[in-house]
Amino acid sequence: MNEHITRQLREAAEAHQPDRARILARVERGVAGPPVRHRSSPFARSWPKAALAGLATAGILATGGLAVAGIVGTPPPADTVVTAPATLSPTATQPATPSPARPTPPASGAPVPAPTAAPTSTAPTTAAPTSPRPTPTASGRPQNGPLSSDGSVDPHTTVYWGQDNLVLKTTQPLTSLTVEMRVVQTGEVRDTGKWHTLPGDDFTVTVQESGGALVYRWVLKPGRTVPVGQYEFADQFNHATGARNTTGDTYRVDAQSAGGPASVWGDFAPTR
């Protein structure tokens, strides 16, 4: 049954107030009227008219009460509430896209790092030889002023490769320094490397053939200073296979300090 019709019937039943007196009056009028002539069974004629009237009245009341009770007693169907899913706003469901991090600019007046300079090559050069230097005497001079020195052949020297070591000490800061190591050309002598323990950027390093020798030279750059301390310089070279005579290999150091110029020189004694 349509929900609207059911609701109207229920409201009409609740509002209905049966007029019992009127109903009884109509029943009595019907009973008092002219009898309807029809064939009736002997059983029906045996009932008194009063009993028939009472049964009719009770039936009408019972039928009306049952109809009203059926309409009123039937609970209305529960209204079905359909709730639509809540629509979330894009702002609530979608996470905010983080903005890319930006580098923090340096504070005003902060120093800006200087670009790193590319390493300089220490490959052999063809610079013109400097002015001739006095040849060290056989006895040498390992100490002079703030300088002291010691030359030796490296113990890892082999029959086809050699290395000379120079240990230099200074008791005063040096504002000028030139270290020169000479390897006599005894046959197939060729440069294979060099190193020193002072900062590499403080020196100009060259390797060249001069006067029948392979000359390694370290020159302190202008404006640089060698602090008080002990430092090492070394040359490395290949030579003809066999035991090499190191008698002609020498070194010389020229320096300038607050006390004036100083120079030391000597040779490379084999390591025992």
Side-chain angles (χ1 to χ4, degrees):
M1 183 181 293
N2 187 279
E3 179 181 351
H4 178 68
I5 297 175
T6 302
R7 186 181 299 108
Q8 288 183 343
L9 289 175
R10 183 169 58 252
E11 292 175 356
E14 292 176 353
H16 177 70
Q17 297 295 333
D19 190 348
R20 184 175 181 179
R22 186 177 180 183
I23 293 175
L24 290 176
R26 291 182 64 181
V27 172
E28 290 176 357
R29 285 196 302 271
V31 174
V36 178
R37 296 184 180 276
H38 60 277
R39 191 182 297 274
S40 61
S41 63
F43 178 77
R45 288 194 297 270
S46 65
W47 283 85
K49 293 182 179 181
L52 292 175
L55 289 175
T57 303
I60 293 173
L61 293 175
T63 303
L66 290 175
V68 172
I71 297 174
V72 175
T74 303
D79 293 337
T80 302
V81 180
V82 180
T83 305
T87 302
L88 301 180
S89 62
T91 304
T93 58
Q94 298 180 358
T97 303
S99 58
R102 298 182 178 179
T104 304
S108 178
V112 178
T116 304
T120 56
S121 173
T122 57
T125 62
T126 57
T130 57
S131 56
R133 299 179 181 275
T135 303
T137 61
S139 59
R141 188 170 74 178
Q143 186 171 354
N144 179 235
L147 301 180
S148 60
S149 60
D150 182 27
S152 63
V153 176
D154 191 271
H156 297 96
T157 295
T158 67
V159 294
Y160 54 83
W161 178 86
Q163 175 174 310
D164 296 330
N165 300 328
L166 172 63
V167 177
L168 179 66
K169 299 179 183 179
T170 178
T171 57
Q172 294 182 9
L174 305 177
T175 57
S176 174
L177 176 65
T178 299
V179 177
E180 187 176 279
M181 300 171 67
R182 300 175 66 89
V183 180
V184 175
Q185 183 59 261
T186 56
E188 301 179 17
V189 174
R190 294 187 300 273
D191 168 54
T192 60
K194 53 208 166 293
W195 55 268
H196 61 283
T197 57
L198 283 163
D201 291 338
D202 287 355
F203 287 84
T204 300
V205 184
T206 60
V207 181
Q208 60 184 8
E209 290 272 355
S210 177
L214 191 61
V215 181
Y216 295 80
R217 184 177 292 112
W218 292 262
V219 179
L220 184 67
K221 294 179 180 179
R224 310 297 174 90
T225 302
V226 176
V228 174
Q230 176 176 304
Y231 310 100
E232 293 184 42
F233 298 80
D235 58 30
Q236 298 172 331
F237 53 93
N238 285 338
H239 59 78
T241 303
R244 180 176 174 276
N245 184 1
T246 62
T247 303
D249 297 348
T250 60
Y251 70 87
R252 181 183 177 90
V253 179
D254 297 309
Q256 180 75 36
S257 67
S263 298
V264 290
W265 59 84
D267 56 12
F268 300 96
T271 303
R272 294 181 176 83

